[in-house]
Amino acid sequence: MKFTKMQGAGNDYVYVNCFEETVTNPQQVSIQVSNRNFGIGSDGLILIMPSDKADVRMRMFNSDGSESEMCGNGIRCVAKYAYDHGIVSKTEITAETGAGILTLQLVPGSDGTVEKVRVNMGPPRLTRGEIPMTGDAAARVIAEPLTILDRTFQITCASMGNPHCVIFVDDVENFPVSTYGPLIENHEMFPRRTNVEFVQIFSRAEVRQRTWERGAGETLACGTGSSAVTAACVLNDLTGKKILNHLMGGDLEMEWAQDGNIYMSGPAVEVFNGEIRL
């Protein structure tokens, strides 16, 4: 199988051009290629596919083989690949995902390849039914207490096509993400599990995020998570609607715009190409 390794803010995936390749068992392939000791090494597998609804289609699989609806860092890399490899020739494209069709604006650099992508991530879904969570389907979850082990957190939840639980902490650098992340991910109130974002507020325009990603563990970045964090910051009146989010793998520029959509701008990088025997 031919593949391309790409990363967006350190969130790295193995990409396969399914305009040319066929992957019949993506769940198992994702587990195999994601292994950082015996495979290629990645946070998962992303398939770049034809679509009858958009310019391209993305399917995304976590390192444990489970399929996720969306990946904000992954979709930027899909857009870069599609442009740089001639699948599309325009700098505004649409991409079909499990979370719907997204619009992406591509910014080519001096060498003609895409350096940065701005993604319309759509509006945050804020009710328990949309996330999904147990309880009153019409209710929002904003600063709701949740006790895990010895601590009670104030959680704010949203869906960006996939579920997110945002928690604000005083010192995110030293927070035990690997202790609390999996317990919240698999909490019974999240029937499809959840991604968990731990966030420190620096100012009204600047935050830092660490992510425990559903099905992958802690990752260096999460674009849908950054979108959920943007909404959570505004809903809790901790920041304005435009923020710079410092993630472990790099920075993302975020805006909850007047049209109700959240926009994310960030890098997309092609690392290397190769072949692997499956």
Side-chain angles (χ1 to χ4, degrees):
M1 181 184 77
K2 294 180 180 179
F3 69 88
T4 299
K5 179 74 178 291
M6 303 183 76
Q7 60 90 5
N11 200 189
D12 63 331
Y13 289 90
V14 171
Y15 292 77
V16 178
N17 180 356
C18 291
F19 286 79
E20 300 176 357
E21 300 281 323
T22 300
V23 180
T24 57
N25 54 339
Q27 292 87 353
Q28 185 57 43
V29 170
S30 185
I31 293 170
Q32 182 176 344
V33 301
S34 298
N35 190 294
R36 297 188 185 274
N37 298 108
F38 299 101
I40 299 166
S42 68
D43 291 327
L45 171 73
I46 289 181
L47 307 182
I48 304 170
M49 309 175 71
S51 171
D52 57 5
K53 302 175 182 177
D55 294 308
V56 294
R57 179 187 177 199
M58 178 183 83
R59 290 186 71 190
M60 176 257 184
F61 297 85
N62 297 304
S63 56
D64 68 353
S66 60
E67 185 169 4
S68 288
E69 302 88 344
M70 237 297 281
C71 174
N73 293 308
I75 197 72
R76 294 200 311 276
C77 290
V78 167
K80 172 181 172 62
Y81 185 98
Y83 184 88
D84 290 355
H85 291 263
I87 295 173
V88 300
S89 58
K90 52 191 178 180
T91 55
E92 181 171 299
I93 69 170
T94 55
E96 179 187 354
T97 75
I101 296 175
L102 303 183
T103 302
L104 305 99
Q105 296 173 324
L106 288 56
V107 182
S110 58
D111 65 353
T113 64
V114 171
E115 290 184 348
K116 185 177 181 179
V117 179
R118 186 173 191 255
V119 188
N120 181 346
M121 300 290 288
R125 290 87 154 176
L126 300 173
T127 67
R128 300 179 84 101
E130 293 172 311
I131 291 169
M133 296 176 67
T134 58
D136 181 358
R140 292 185 174 190
V141 180
I142 302 173
E144 180 176 302
L146 173 65
T147 300
I148 302 291
L149 298 178
D150 58 333
R151 300 184 64 157
T152 298
F153 300 105
Q154 305 297 315
I155 66 171
T156 298
C157 298
S159 172
M160 294 303 305
N162 53 358
H164 291 274
C165 176
V166 179
I167 295 172
F168 298 102
V169 299
D170 294 330
D171 181 8
V172 73
E173 177 74 24
N174 296 301
F175 187 84
V177 169
S178 61
T179 298
Y180 293 99
L183 296 176
I184 299 170
E185 174 195 354
N186 294 286
H187 195 279
E188 62 184 5
M189 73 166 59
F190 299 103
R192 287 162 56 189
R193 299 186 293 165
T194 189
N195 302 282
V196 191
E197 281 73 40
F198 300 94
V199 183
Q200 182 176 350
I201 304 294
F202 292 149
S203 72
R204 295 285 298 178
E206 198 170 359
V207 307
R208 183 167 182 217
Q209 166 185 330
R210 288 176 66 187
T211 295
W212 181 267
E213 193 158 344
R214 177 185 59 169
E218 185 169 10
T219 56
L220 295 181
C222 179
T224 55
S226 186
S227 301
V229 164
T230 303
C233 286
V234 173
L235 292 170
N236 286 278
D237 195 26
L238 297 173
T239 71
K241 290 193 171 185
K242 292 181 71 172
I243 61 172
L244 180 65
N245 191 344
H246 302 287
L247 298 99
M248 294 177 67
D251 294 345
L252 295 175
E253 301 166 28
M254 308 298 305
E255 179 182 7
W256 193 356
Q258 289 187 343
D259 63 6
N261 296 316
I262 292 180
Y263 292 85
M264 172 187 63
S265 298
V269 178
E270 184 173 311
V271 183
F272 63 87
N273 296 282
E275 297 183 15
I276 186 170
R277 186 182 300 276
L278 298 174

